[in-house]
Amino acid sequence: MQDEYQLDYFKENGFVRKTCPKCKTNFWTRDTDTEFCGDPPCVSYSFIGAPVFKKEYDISTMREAYLSFFEKNGHTRVDRYPVIARWRDDIYLTIASIADFQPFVTSGLVPPPANPLTISQPCIRLDDLDAVGRSGRHLTTFEMMAHHCFNSRGNEIYWKDRTVELCDNLLSSLGLDLNAVTYKEAPWAGGGNAGPSVEVLVGGLELATLVFMDLKQVKGGSIDIKGETYEKMDNYIVDTGYGLERFVWASRGSPTIYDAVFPKIVNELMDLAGIEHSIENPEYAKIFSQNARFAGVMDISGQANLLQLRKKVADTIGTTVEKLQKLMVPVESVYAITDHSRCLAFMLGDGIIPSNVKAGYLARLVLRRTLRLMKELDIREPLIEIIEMQIKNFPEYPEFRERLDTIREIVVLEDEKYADTIERGTKLVKKTALHFKDKKEKMPLGELIQLYDTHGIPPEITREVAKEAGVDVELPDTFYSLVAKKHSKAEEEEAEEMPLELPPTRKLYYEQTEQSEFEAKVLEVIENKIILDRTLFYPEGGGQPCDHGTLSMEDYIANVADVQNMNGVIVHETDSDFGFKKGDTVKGKIDWERRLAHMRHHTATHIVNESAKAVLGKHIWQTGAQKSTDRARLDLTHYKRITDDEFREIELLANRAVMKNQPVHIDWMDRVEAEKKYGFVLYQGGVPPGREIRILRVGSDVEACGGTHVSNTGLIGPIKLIKTERIQDGVERIEFSAGEAAVKRMQERDELLNKSSDALRVSPEHLPDTVNRFFNEWKEFKKENERLKAELAEVRVKAMMGDAVDINGLKVLSEKLPHADVEELIKVATEFSKNDDVVAILASESGGVKIVVAAGVRAQKMGVNAGAIVREMSKLVGGGGGGKPGIAQGGGTDVTMIDEALEKSAEMVRRVLK
RNA sequence: GGGCCUGUAGAUCAGGGGUAGAUCGUUGCGUUCGCAACGCAAAGGCCGCGGGUUCGAAUCCCGCCGGGUCCA
């Protein structure tokens, strides 16, 4: 790989290649006096207080300077992509500009939107969340300015030399002394690709990385990097990344990147937190400069390292760690809030709905972290106000302002939800703490993990609340990794692969949408799997189940049970393996009723999606869908439950769309063109592979879709929404039926209604009132019944008292009340046992044998145990029982033994009294 | 996608195979010129729904519905 960096451009422009004495890596520089590679920790920041460009820039002027520079140099400016990676199913957030063009552009399957191109792509990375605010340089959200160039063998636009030259020219156009730049060799590898790369370092700050991606990971490849083997690719890509915020920082030389990038918001938040943030004061600025310098050369992810950093800073400015801590922590929190609120503006602005799963979870994570920090600083301003401040600060993203109402509603709801969680949590912690206080123990770590993992209570809060209750808590630095350890990874299932060297099957189901029969040639037979040259059988995909039907020849007929698409080859799985041979011509027939039901449900899904968007808002995004013959379900992102009114409105709009009898348009389009024309809403149902994608338009709904559809919406028939379900926080599921299935649904409902009203002898419209009345009456009767039983018990006691037998001074009573239920027996028995010297033994035979025994206080003292008596009696009647010494219940199945059991009970009492 | 917790009176929660509880709130009575406070009493429960185990389930098991939460 060494040769990769011997660029003509370096040689022709007086660069020398040196080796850093500290880290031993090679770097290129114009300045022969430069000793070190320029990268921390070998050097530390020198740009703080000494800006490297000739003037100060802010975010938008710097972005514009960059993009227009590359425009002038033959690049086409491309609009940014969303921060939520809608076009990918392997990552949630856009983490780099190149992510916009993966996987199909980088693999060469799809041409880039322009070539070469330049872009400023907002990216979100949550890996170093803890360092944000503290290190002076970390951000969750940053814009990666980039120029990309997609080369292929025989069609090279530019490669390494030109890339470095452009970088040099850009820097010098900003007024940088080029002697200050070093290009450090740093081979890059990631995501299955690799290549040589240089880091662009100025003043100790990495301003950009220039990656020359030309390798792909191949098992047994000839190039070895970090233990993996690679091969050269046919297409090779210039992948650059220039940190917009870092450029701004370098142009200002402020103590932290936050003060450089959003001075206004930082100051406003400092005011709200009541912190005097006088960055012009040299003494004050020095603290944060020193902190950023030291933090620049170390990893501060752990608590121990943070302390070390504090110590270093404290030493240089001559103070104690405690004093420093007290000064810095609030300021660092403000920095973090500033960063996080910007992150939220992007996340929510681009349509992420907070949830407890997937990308929504990440949004909630950041949101709650921000709320926590605000609470610590006692900032009372609602979070939404701060996010609004950010949004107003970005006139270049008008789309955020359009969504402001939805964003406001979401943030307010989330704010409330978190407050609820914390309140619930605090109570729980108090209770738990008191439990351990009683035992005079520390609250163990396991309890802390449980509280966080199950109830979302941060350990810091647990510690604080527990402390107030006077209980110590054990909280190690490694807390969060301990939690992570509890969650084991799920193993990924490998997709079944068939080693097929066959041409893609001709998909008749796209061409002949009204046909149910076809003829085809058998290309291959593997056991019961048959591959044809063409087929009308739709394979499972896009939430639509496969077609069923038959394949037949003169003598044979086989049922098709499963159809799968394996990389364009359609495989028919039949229930028998006889007959068909390579080269045969077969007749195929699909089950049209089944197919038609699928088509109706599929087109209906698009319509329901469109209606839901119209009713609920633009933030609605499909996260999943499944169709079958009698129903379909559609999962949508939404931040609250769908109300009954909304539900009916969606149903109405969907049916109106049907009744308009709109045509369903299907076009195959070039992917780039389609994205340009319709945006990423196309990929709601998933991201299809390939350069050409199938675009389906119904009304205002446009989606990339590979399913089969009816030609006009009128053919769907009625759409009946069945229910909504919240499958996850932030995801609502709508279940519905279409066509004949919908009619059946409605008939079923009617029948339920009719049966219910028949049972009550009222008409359906009176059902709610009548049911209500019956229920209330039932409750009253139940109460009355209970009262009567209690009264009856009293009467019975008086009547039966005379039957009691005297045993050693105790009044023992054993009686059968044949029709009494357990409750009555208990009431009577308890009534008896209010007399200290009574033992009441009662039995009934309603629904088997029931036995209840109660003993008065004195009887118990003398050794009578109701539980023991019941146990013994119950055994006799073939059951079991038990209870407390004062009252016990039991029973069995053998009704014929009741009398014997009652007779023996007196003996039992006698026995214990001896 | 993978876990964990949870559903009991209007509210907050105990109980965790054997007669459904506490506190607050509500209502009534007492005390007071009146209120607050206090005292006494009452009303208020399909113990989320449906199955199973059991003589007996709010309690144990399974499924469903609802709520919460962590991780990838």
Side-chain angles (χ1 to χ4, degrees), chain A residues 831-876:
Chain A
E831 196 61 37
F832 269 118
S833 64
K834 279 178 187 163
N835 304 300
D836 293 350
D837 53 356
V838 166
V839 179
I841 300 161
L842 306 172
S844 86
E845 51 187 44
S846 74
V849 185
K850 311 283 179 219
I851 302 168
V852 172
V853 175
V857 180
R858 203 164 71 83
Q860 287 175 51
K861 274 187 192 147
M862 289 172 67
V864 176
N865 183 325
I869 297 172
V870 163
R871 252 192 302 281
E872 211 164 322
M873 289 174 71
S874 301
K875 240 179 247 166
L876 288 172

Short mmCIF file of all heavy atoms in Angstrom, two decimals, chain A residues 831-876:
data_model
loop_
_atom_site.label_atom_id
_atom_site.label_comp_id
_atom_site.label_asym_id
_atom_site.label_seq_id
_atom_site.Cartn_x
_atom_site.Cartn_y
_atom_site.Cartn_z
N GLU A 831 -69.98 -15.94 60.78
CA GLU A 831 -70.94 -15.43 61.75
C GLU A 831 -70.88 -16.26 63.04
O GLU A 831 -70.86 -15.72 64.14
CB GLU A 831 -72.34 -15.48 61.12
CG GLU A 831 -73.39 -14.64 61.83
CD GLU A 831 -73.04 -13.17 61.85
OE1 GLU A 831 -72.47 -12.65 60.84
OE2 GLU A 831 -73.31 -12.53 62.87
N PHE A 832 -70.84 -17.58 62.85
CA PHE A 832 -70.73 -18.48 64.00
C PHE A 832 -69.47 -18.21 64.81
O PHE A 832 -69.48 -18.13 66.03
CB PHE A 832 -70.69 -19.94 63.54
CG PHE A 832 -72.06 -20.57 63.46
CD1 PHE A 832 -72.58 -21.03 62.26
CD2 PHE A 832 -72.82 -20.70 64.62
CE1 PHE A 832 -73.83 -21.60 62.20
CE2 PHE A 832 -74.08 -21.28 64.56
CZ PHE A 832 -74.60 -21.73 63.34
N SER A 833 -68.39 -18.10 64.12
CA SER A 833 -67.10 -18.05 64.82
C SER A 833 -66.87 -16.72 65.51
O SER A 833 -65.85 -16.51 66.14
CB SER A 833 -65.95 -18.35 63.84
OG SER A 833 -65.88 -17.33 62.87
N LYS A 834 -67.83 -15.80 65.38
CA LYS A 834 -67.72 -14.59 66.16
C LYS A 834 -67.87 -14.93 67.64
O LYS A 834 -67.44 -14.19 68.51
CB LYS A 834 -68.81 -13.58 65.75
CG LYS A 834 -68.41 -12.83 64.48
CD LYS A 834 -69.50 -11.88 64.05
CE LYS A 834 -69.16 -11.26 62.70
NZ LYS A 834 -70.36 -10.68 62.08
N ASN A 835 -68.55 -16.06 67.89
CA ASN A 835 -68.61 -16.58 69.26
C ASN A 835 -67.33 -17.36 69.53
O ASN A 835 -66.99 -18.27 68.78
CB ASN A 835 -69.81 -17.51 69.43
CG ASN A 835 -71.11 -16.79 69.03
OD1 ASN A 835 -71.45 -15.78 69.61
ND2 ASN A 835 -71.77 -17.32 68.01
N ASP A 836 -66.64 -16.99 70.59
CA ASP A 836 -65.30 -17.53 70.84
C ASP A 836 -65.26 -19.05 70.94
O ASP A 836 -64.29 -19.68 70.59
CB ASP A 836 -64.73 -16.96 72.15
CG ASP A 836 -64.47 -15.47 71.99
OD1 ASP A 836 -64.56 -15.00 70.83
OD2 ASP A 836 -64.17 -14.82 73.00
N ASP A 837 -66.36 -19.64 71.45
CA ASP A 837 -66.27 -21.07 71.76
C ASP A 837 -67.03 -21.94 70.77
O ASP A 837 -67.45 -23.02 71.08
CB ASP A 837 -66.76 -21.33 73.19
CG ASP A 837 -68.15 -20.75 73.39
OD1 ASP A 837 -68.66 -20.08 72.44
OD2 ASP A 837 -68.73 -20.96 74.46
N VAL A 838 -67.18 -21.43 69.55
CA VAL A 838 -67.93 -22.21 68.56
C VAL A 838 -67.01 -22.75 67.47
O VAL A 838 -66.08 -22.07 67.03
CB VAL A 838 -69.04 -21.34 67.93
CG1 VAL A 838 -69.60 -22.02 66.68
CG2 VAL A 838 -70.15 -21.09 68.95
N VAL A 839 -67.25 -23.97 67.09
CA VAL A 839 -66.60 -24.52 65.90
C VAL A 839 -67.72 -24.86 64.93
O VAL A 839 -68.60 -25.67 65.25
CB VAL A 839 -65.79 -25.79 66.22
CG1 VAL A 839 -65.15 -26.33 64.94
CG2 VAL A 839 -64.73 -25.50 67.27
N ALA A 840 -67.72 -24.23 63.77
CA ALA A 840 -68.77 -24.47 62.79
C ALA A 840 -68.22 -25.25 61.62
O ALA A 840 -67.21 -24.87 61.03
CB ALA A 840 -69.36 -23.15 62.31
N ILE A 841 -68.85 -26.38 61.33
CA ILE A 841 -68.41 -27.22 60.23
C ILE A 841 -69.57 -27.34 59.26
O ILE A 841 -70.59 -27.96 59.58
CB ILE A 841 -67.98 -28.60 60.74
CG1 ILE A 841 -66.83 -28.44 61.74
CG2 ILE A 841 -67.55 -29.50 59.57
CD1 ILE A 841 -66.61 -29.62 62.63
N LEU A 842 -69.44 -26.73 58.11
CA LEU A 842 -70.55 -26.67 57.18
C LEU A 842 -70.17 -27.29 55.84
O LEU A 842 -69.02 -27.24 55.42
CB LEU A 842 -70.96 -25.21 56.93
CG LEU A 842 -71.26 -24.39 58.20
CD1 LEU A 842 -71.46 -22.93 57.82
CD2 LEU A 842 -72.47 -24.95 58.91
N ALA A 843 -71.18 -27.89 55.22
CA ALA A 843 -70.93 -28.49 53.91
C ALA A 843 -72.13 -28.28 53.02
O ALA A 843 -73.25 -28.12 53.49
CB ALA A 843 -70.63 -29.97 54.06
N SER A 844 -71.88 -28.24 51.72
CA SER A 844 -72.99 -28.18 50.76
C SER A 844 -72.65 -29.06 49.57
O SER A 844 -71.54 -29.54 49.44
CB SER A 844 -73.23 -26.75 50.31
OG SER A 844 -72.38 -26.46 49.22
N GLU A 845 -73.63 -29.30 48.72
CA GLU A 845 -73.36 -30.14 47.56
C GLU A 845 -73.73 -29.44 46.27
O GLU A 845 -74.13 -30.06 45.31
CB GLU A 845 -74.08 -31.48 47.69
CG GLU A 845 -75.57 -31.31 48.01
CD GLU A 845 -76.25 -32.65 48.30
OE1 GLU A 845 -75.66 -33.47 49.03
OE2 GLU A 845 -77.34 -32.87 47.77
N SER A 846 -73.57 -28.13 46.26
CA SER A 846 -73.84 -27.41 45.02
C SER A 846 -72.57 -27.43 44.17
O SER A 846 -71.56 -26.87 44.55
CB SER A 846 -74.29 -25.98 45.32
OG SER A 846 -73.21 -25.19 45.73
N GLY A 847 -72.66 -28.11 43.04
CA GLY A 847 -71.50 -28.21 42.15
C GLY A 847 -70.36 -28.95 42.78
O GLY A 847 -69.24 -28.42 42.86
N GLY A 848 -70.61 -30.14 43.29
CA GLY A 848 -69.57 -30.88 44.00
C GLY A 848 -69.70 -30.62 45.48
O GLY A 848 -70.67 -30.01 45.92
N VAL A 849 -68.76 -31.10 46.24
CA VAL A 849 -68.82 -30.91 47.69
C VAL A 849 -68.05 -29.67 48.08
O VAL A 849 -66.93 -29.46 47.61
CB VAL A 849 -68.21 -32.13 48.43
CG1 VAL A 849 -68.41 -31.97 49.93
CG2 VAL A 849 -68.83 -33.42 47.92
N LYS A 850 -68.68 -28.82 48.89
CA LYS A 850 -67.97 -27.64 49.41
C LYS A 850 -67.99 -27.73 50.93
O LYS A 850 -69.02 -28.03 51.53
CB LYS A 850 -68.68 -26.34 49.01
CG LYS A 850 -69.02 -26.24 47.54
CD LYS A 850 -67.81 -25.89 46.70
CE LYS A 850 -68.20 -25.82 45.24
NZ LYS A 850 -67.18 -26.37 44.36
N ILE A 851 -66.83 -27.49 51.52
CA ILE A 851 -66.75 -27.56 52.98
C ILE A 851 -66.15 -26.26 53.50
O ILE A 851 -65.16 -25.77 52.95
CB ILE A 851 -65.85 -28.73 53.42
CG1 ILE A 851 -66.41 -30.06 52.84
CG2 ILE A 851 -65.74 -28.80 54.93
CD1 ILE A 851 -65.46 -31.21 52.96
N VAL A 852 -66.76 -25.73 54.52
CA VAL A 852 -66.18 -24.56 55.19
C VAL A 852 -66.18 -24.80 56.68
O VAL A 852 -67.18 -25.26 57.24
CB VAL A 852 -66.99 -23.27 54.88
CG1 VAL A 852 -66.48 -22.12 55.74
CG2 VAL A 852 -66.88 -22.92 53.41
N VAL A 853 -65.03 -24.54 57.32
CA VAL A 853 -64.94 -24.70 58.77
C VAL A 853 -64.45 -23.40 59.36
O VAL A 853 -63.53 -22.77 58.84
CB VAL A 853 -63.96 -25.85 59.14
CG1 VAL A 853 -63.79 -25.92 60.65
CG2 VAL A 853 -64.47 -27.17 58.58
N ALA A 854 -65.10 -22.96 60.44
CA ALA A 854 -64.62 -21.78 61.14
C ALA A 854 -64.54 -22.10 62.62
O ALA A 854 -65.33 -22.87 63.15
CB ALA A 854 -65.58 -20.62 60.91
N ALA A 855 -63.53 -21.51 63.27
CA ALA A 855 -63.35 -21.77 64.70
C ALA A 855 -63.23 -20.45 65.44
O ALA A 855 -62.55 -19.54 64.99
CB ALA A 855 -62.10 -22.62 64.93
N GLY A 856 -63.89 -20.32 66.56
CA GLY A 856 -63.80 -19.12 67.38
C GLY A 856 -62.44 -19.02 68.05
O GLY A 856 -61.64 -19.95 68.02
N VAL A 857 -62.21 -17.85 68.65
CA VAL A 857 -60.89 -17.57 69.22
C VAL A 857 -60.50 -18.59 70.29
O VAL A 857 -59.39 -19.12 70.30
CB VAL A 857 -60.86 -16.15 69.81
CG1 VAL A 857 -59.49 -15.85 70.40
CG2 VAL A 857 -61.22 -15.12 68.74
N ARG A 858 -61.44 -18.87 71.20
CA ARG A 858 -61.13 -19.79 72.31
C ARG A 858 -60.90 -21.21 71.77
O ARG A 858 -60.00 -21.92 72.19
CB ARG A 858 -62.25 -19.79 73.34
CG ARG A 858 -61.79 -20.24 74.73
CD ARG A 858 -62.80 -19.87 75.80
NE ARG A 858 -64.03 -20.67 75.72
CZ ARG A 858 -64.13 -21.89 76.26
NH1 ARG A 858 -63.12 -22.43 76.91
NH2 ARG A 858 -65.26 -22.56 76.19
N ALA A 859 -61.75 -21.56 70.81
CA ALA A 859 -61.61 -22.89 70.20
C ALA A 859 -60.22 -23.05 69.59
O ALA A 859 -59.59 -24.10 69.73
CB ALA A 859 -62.68 -23.08 69.13
N GLN A 860 -59.77 -21.99 68.94
CA GLN A 860 -58.44 -22.06 68.35
C GLN A 860 -57.39 -22.25 69.41
O GLN A 860 -56.45 -23.02 69.26
CB GLN A 860 -58.14 -20.79 67.55
CG GLN A 860 -58.90 -20.70 66.23
CD GLN A 860 -58.65 -19.37 65.56
OE1 GLN A 860 -57.50 -18.97 65.40
NE2 GLN A 860 -59.71 -18.67 65.21
N LYS A 861 -57.55 -21.51 70.50
CA LYS A 861 -56.57 -21.60 71.58
C LYS A 861 -56.51 -22.99 72.16
O LYS A 861 -55.48 -23.48 72.62
CB LYS A 861 -56.92 -20.60 72.69
CG LYS A 861 -56.34 -19.23 72.40
CD LYS A 861 -56.55 -18.29 73.58
CE LYS A 861 -56.22 -16.87 73.19
NZ LYS A 861 -57.08 -15.89 73.89
N MET A 862 -57.65 -23.66 72.11
CA MET A 862 -57.70 -25.02 72.66
C MET A 862 -57.17 -26.06 71.67
O MET A 862 -57.18 -27.26 71.97
CB MET A 862 -59.13 -25.37 73.07
CG MET A 862 -59.58 -24.59 74.31
SD MET A 862 -61.32 -24.82 74.65
CE MET A 862 -61.38 -26.56 75.11
N GLY A 863 -56.77 -25.61 70.52
CA GLY A 863 -56.12 -26.55 69.60
C GLY A 863 -56.91 -26.89 68.37
O GLY A 863 -56.48 -27.69 67.53
N VAL A 864 -58.09 -26.28 68.22
CA VAL A 864 -58.87 -26.57 67.02
C VAL A 864 -58.28 -25.79 65.85
O VAL A 864 -58.06 -24.59 65.94
CB VAL A 864 -60.35 -26.17 67.21
CG1 VAL A 864 -61.11 -26.40 65.90
CG2 VAL A 864 -60.95 -26.95 68.35
N ASN A 865 -58.00 -26.50 64.77
CA ASN A 865 -57.45 -25.86 63.60
C ASN A 865 -58.38 -26.11 62.42
O ASN A 865 -58.50 -27.23 61.91
CB ASN A 865 -56.05 -26.42 63.31
CG ASN A 865 -55.40 -25.71 62.13
OD1 ASN A 865 -56.07 -25.33 61.17
ND2 ASN A 865 -54.09 -25.54 62.21
N ALA A 866 -59.04 -25.06 61.97
CA ALA A 866 -60.01 -25.20 60.89
C ALA A 866 -59.37 -25.80 59.65
O ALA A 866 -59.95 -26.65 58.97
CB ALA A 866 -60.63 -23.84 60.56
N GLY A 867 -58.16 -25.33 59.35
CA GLY A 867 -57.45 -25.82 58.17
C GLY A 867 -57.27 -27.32 58.21
O GLY A 867 -57.50 -28.03 57.23
N ALA A 868 -56.85 -27.82 59.39
CA ALA A 868 -56.57 -29.26 59.51
C ALA A 868 -57.85 -30.07 59.32
O ALA A 868 -57.85 -31.10 58.64
CB ALA A 868 -55.95 -29.54 60.87
N ILE A 869 -58.92 -29.58 59.90
CA ILE A 869 -60.20 -30.30 59.78
C ILE A 869 -60.66 -30.35 58.33
O ILE A 869 -61.06 -31.39 57.81
CB ILE A 869 -61.28 -29.64 60.67
CG1 ILE A 869 -60.87 -29.75 62.15
CG2 ILE A 869 -62.64 -30.28 60.44
CD1 ILE A 869 -61.76 -28.96 63.09
N VAL A 870 -60.58 -29.21 57.68
CA VAL A 870 -61.00 -29.15 56.27
C VAL A 870 -60.17 -30.09 55.42
O VAL A 870 -60.69 -30.82 54.57
CB VAL A 870 -60.90 -27.71 55.75
CG1 VAL A 870 -60.93 -27.70 54.23
CG2 VAL A 870 -62.02 -26.86 56.30
N ARG A 871 -58.85 -30.09 55.65
CA ARG A 871 -57.96 -30.96 54.85
C ARG A 871 -58.41 -32.42 54.97
O ARG A 871 -58.54 -33.13 53.98
CB ARG A 871 -56.52 -30.79 55.31
CG ARG A 871 -55.66 -30.03 54.29
CD ARG A 871 -54.18 -30.14 54.61
NE ARG A 871 -53.86 -29.64 55.94
CZ ARG A 871 -53.73 -28.35 56.25
NH1 ARG A 871 -53.91 -27.43 55.32
NH2 ARG A 871 -53.43 -27.97 57.47
N GLU A 872 -58.64 -32.82 56.20
CA GLU A 872 -58.98 -34.23 56.42
C GLU A 872 -60.34 -34.57 55.81
O GLU A 872 -60.50 -35.60 55.16
CB GLU A 872 -58.99 -34.50 57.93
CG GLU A 872 -58.61 -35.92 58.25
CD GLU A 872 -58.25 -36.05 59.74
OE1 GLU A 872 -57.62 -35.11 60.29
OE2 GLU A 872 -58.63 -37.06 60.33
N MET A 873 -61.30 -33.69 56.01
CA MET A 873 -62.63 -33.92 55.45
C MET A 873 -62.60 -33.96 53.93
O MET A 873 -63.26 -34.78 53.29
CB MET A 873 -63.60 -32.82 55.91
CG MET A 873 -63.98 -32.90 57.37
SD MET A 873 -64.98 -31.48 57.84
CE MET A 873 -66.52 -31.86 56.98
N SER A 874 -61.86 -33.05 53.36
CA SER A 874 -61.81 -32.94 51.91
C SER A 874 -61.25 -34.20 51.27
O SER A 874 -61.67 -34.62 50.20
CB SER A 874 -60.96 -31.74 51.48
OG SER A 874 -61.51 -30.57 52.03
N LYS A 875 -60.29 -34.79 51.98
CA LYS A 875 -59.70 -36.02 51.46
C LYS A 875 -60.78 -37.09 51.30
O LYS A 875 -60.80 -37.83 50.33
CB LYS A 875 -58.61 -36.51 52.42
CG LYS A 875 -57.23 -36.59 51.74
CD LYS A 875 -56.17 -37.04 52.70
CE LYS A 875 -55.18 -35.92 52.99
NZ LYS A 875 -54.33 -36.20 54.17
N LEU A 876 -61.68 -37.13 52.28
CA LEU A 876 -62.75 -38.13 52.25
C LEU A 876 -63.67 -37.95 51.04
O LEU A 876 -64.19 -38.92 50.51
CB LEU A 876 -63.58 -38.03 53.53
CG LEU A 876 -62.92 -38.55 54.81
CD1 LEU A 876 -63.78 -38.22 56.02
CD2 LEU A 876 -62.68 -40.06 54.71
#
